[in-house]
Amino acid sequence: MSKECAFCGKTPQVGNLVSHSNIKTKRRFNPNLQRVRHQFPNGTVQTVSVCTRCLRSGCVVKPVAGR
């Protein structure tokens, strides 16, 4: 599973971890991805990895619970 949002394409970014003595080592800032079920416009339901920004902004259409 890649660390990429299915809607906005957000991927990990690279930065520095800075210690108290100002020593810099490389680190990764991973996006906050959640696996949710998404209903596409044609009616199919699929589990996708979505960042919380897209989840909160309403890009994801959750399927209605059926019995």
Side-chain angles (χ1 to χ4, degrees):
M1 182 178 108
S2 66
K3 295 186 183 298
E4 182 176 351
C5 178
F7 288 97
C8 67
K10 189 181 286 187
T11 56
Q13 294 182 330
V14 180
N16 285 320
L17 189 132
V18 182
S19 68
H20 180 66
S21 61
N22 209 25
I23 296 173
K24 294 166 185 73
T25 55
K26 286 293 192 180
R27 61 157 292 183
R28 282 173 58 142
F29 291 94
N30 290 321
N32 188 2
L33 296 178
Q34 307 294 320
R35 292 191 45 86
V36 294
R37 291 178 44 168
H38 171 67
Q39 185 171 4
F40 291 95
N42 60 3
T44 60
V45 177
Q46 194 174 12
T47 304
V48 291
S49 292
V50 181
C51 69
T52 52
R53 173 72 53 108
C54 291
L55 197 60
R56 190 179 66 194
S57 65
C59 294
V60 178
V61 178
K62 292 190 176 182
V64 288
R67 292 183 184 184

